[in-house]
Amino acid sequence: KEVIQNEIEGLKKLKLSIGVSFEQIIKTILNCKSGKVIVSGVGKSGIISKKWAATFSSTGTPSFFMDASNASHGDMGQIEKKDILVVFSYSGNTSELNNMLKYANRYGIKIIGVASKPESILLKASDVKLVLPKVKEADLTGIVPTSSTTITLLLGDCMATTVMHQKKFCQ
């Protein structure tokens, strides 16, 4: 019950943090008419990013997941200028993201960055930034991604369903 309550508190913080940045993300995705939404992350953030990409695809927004670790080994060739790169990293300072961010910046590919640290490498490189609220992880040590993955899973659902609604997909 303590874990559930802790994660509920994280969800409440997320709800309070939704605002202008979220709206900018939605507009950016809606304006991507001929491209794809490419979602990336590493570790637990990568797992959540896979879910985000799957939800976007199933709700009418062409999308796929790109593993940031493999991106430097040829996968970045899948990214086109008309695409949007949505990168999620709770800390925003994951070293595996560096090459992908540099590639996107060099070729003018729009980056939507989602992280909890405003001064992170990810958010500095991003065109559209969403700062996640800092949440208390639900494990005894406070370091296992628990509450942070819960809020980001919900954030992806919010983004995909809002875009779906705006596109009038399935209506």
Side-chain angles (χ1 to χ4, degrees):
K1 288 182 181 179
E2 286 177 40
V3 170
I4 293 169
Q5 187 57 44
N6 190 53
E7 296 205 20
I8 288 170
E9 294 305 317
L11 293 171
K12 287 178 181 178
K13 284 184 174 184
L14 177 65
K15 183 179 179 183
L16 292 172
S17 73
I18 298 296
V20 174
S21 294
F22 183 83
E23 291 173 20
Q24 290 175 324
I25 288 172
I26 300 305
K27 287 177 185 174
T28 301
I29 293 170
L30 287 170
N31 287 329
C32 181
K33 305 260 190 237
S34 61
K36 301 169 295 303
V37 174
I38 302 168
V39 188
S40 188
V42 178
K44 303 296 183 293
S45 297
I47 294 167
I48 299 297
S49 297
K50 284 181 188 178
K51 201 293 193 174
W52 285 9
T55 303
F56 274 118
S57 288
S58 67
T59 56
T61 300
S63 181
F64 67 89
F65 170 76
M66 179 178 291
D67 184 285
S69 300
N70 290 331
S72 297
H73 301 283
D75 287 0
M76 284 188 280
Q78 298 175 77
I79 306 171
E80 300 176 274
K81 287 188 178 190
K82 60 186 177 180
D83 297 334
I84 295 172
L85 189 58
V86 179
V87 183
F88 162 54
S89 167
Y90 191 68
S91 73
N93 289 316
T94 307
S95 62
E96 292 90 344
L97 299 175
N98 288 338
N99 287 338
M100 182 183 287
L101 296 173
K102 288 177 185 174
Y103 179 88
N105 286 155
R106 183 176 351 150
Y107 291 104
I109 297 159
K110 195 166 287 267
I111 301 170
I112 296 172
V114 179
S116 67
K117 296 181 180 177
E119 297 303 315
S120 65
I121 294 165
L122 170 56
L123 293 185
K124 285 181 180 178
S126 297
D127 301 292
V128 181
K129 308 156 186 358
L130 190 142
V131 179
L132 293 167
K134 294 210 183 345
V135 295
K136 180 182 177 223
E137 300 296 5
D139 71 293
L140 293 174
T141 65
I143 59 171
V144 176
T146 50
S147 301
S148 58
T149 55
T150 298
I151 68 166
T152 53
L153 187 64
L154 178 59
L155 177 64
D157 288 346
C158 291
M159 290 189 299
T161 57
T162 301
V163 169
M164 175 187 176
H165 177 75
Q166 292 296 315
K167 288 181 170 183
K168 297 181 178 12
F169 183 75
C170 290
Q171 288 186 340

